[in-house]
Amino acid sequence: MEGDKMIKSAGRMAGACGISVCILAGCFSGCGSRKKDYSYYISYVDSEQTQTIQSGYEPEHTSVDGLIQELLDRLGTDIDTVDYVKAIPEGVSIESWEVEQDCLRLNFNGFYDKMEPITEILCRLAIVKTMTQVEGIESISFFVEGEPLKDSTGENVGTVTIDSFVENPGEQINSYQNATIDLYFANETGDGLVRETQEVYYNSNISMEKLVMEHLISGPKSKDAFGTLPKETKLINVAVVDGSCYVNLDENFKNQNYEILEPIVIYSIVNSLTSLDHIERVQISVNGDTSGKYRDDFELSRMYEKITHM
């Protein structure tokens, strides 16, 4: 493989390298400092696809090449527990790898880009957490069939390091703090957006994008604003990659209130999330599915940016 000659789209949302990632509440619990009882750990994904979980591990190999191959094998090996699953899912495999200076370059088969967005993010996070433990490996590059991933805007990306991921500092675990968030609801006639600023008191383990979505579903506090999402809607998970936010809602999201216009529902979500500094665009899925439309006109596969006049 030769550096930048290996450029082509490899995934729907991949943003594989040089990015900032926030996963919903608790994603990094268990992903912090290495357990003292073990030389290494393997990162897994919890059964609900919301976080990575580490498990202490003693490798058999001592050589760098042997250790790399052993850890990669473990990332794709089934485990006997219902609490978490292997990070590299069934069907996805590493076709080859090589170390170039301090970067581990992983070349996956074509099934990598068929992963759902949340699955891909957690897979990538677990790989980076696990493999950068190897002495001399400071970063990871992801390729599919010999060609590098692109971010959600179609731009080529660089390498992923531990610093590419944003997580809550350990000392803040279970602490609480105040914040103000801007939420967008429907007006009385359902044909316009109303901005409502709410002051919230929250656990610092919760990501801001999850906080926004939970309060958006809960509805407004003002009598002049009206909720756009059914209150029974469940937020399955939410993630941010390279400025793109991926929101996964359950099927209750489609319980439509036709008194609220279709674009008002979509942009209540988009405008609320893009009010956060680290989010530029939003994609909505239903039970992880981005095929089809919301009502008549809004493709779920599209990325939507904030609209200022509505």
Side-chain angles (χ1 to χ4, degrees), residues 20-22 53 69 96 102 105 112 114 122 131 138 142 145 152 154 157 195 210 223 225 229 231 246 274:
S20 174
V21 173
C22 297
I53 297 173
Q69 187 62 60
S96 62
D102 60 359
R105 300 161 64 92
Y112 186 95
K114 298 183 185 301
L122 291 171
M131 300 312 301
E138 300 295 334
F142 290 77
E145 296 183 339
S152 56
V157 294
R195 186 180 69 180
K210 181 174 189 288
K223 294 181 180 179
L229 305 180
K231 287 189 177 295
Y246 298 86
T274 55

Side-chain angles (χ1 to χ4, degrees), residues 2 11 44 94 100 116 191 214 237 309:
E2 293 186 12
Y44 297 96
I94 298 172
E100 187 174 275
E116 293 296 335
D191 60 358
E214 287 182 341
N237 39 37
H309 302 289

Side-chain angles (χ1 to χ4, degrees), residues 269-305:
I269 298 173
V270 174
N271 281 19
S272 296
L273 287 167
T274 55
S275 67
L276 300 175
D277 290 340
H278 62 288
I279 296 177
E280 298 174 2
R281 60 197 77 86
V282 177
Q283 182 186 57
I284 302 166
S285 61
V286 178
N287 289 326
D289 186 7
T290 57
S291 63
K293 298 179 180 180
Y294 176 75
R295 297 192 193 175
D296 300 321
D297 299 322
F298 284 83
E299 300 280 352
L300 294 178
S301 60
R302 275 190 55 195
M303 282 285 179
Y304 293 94
E305 298 183 357

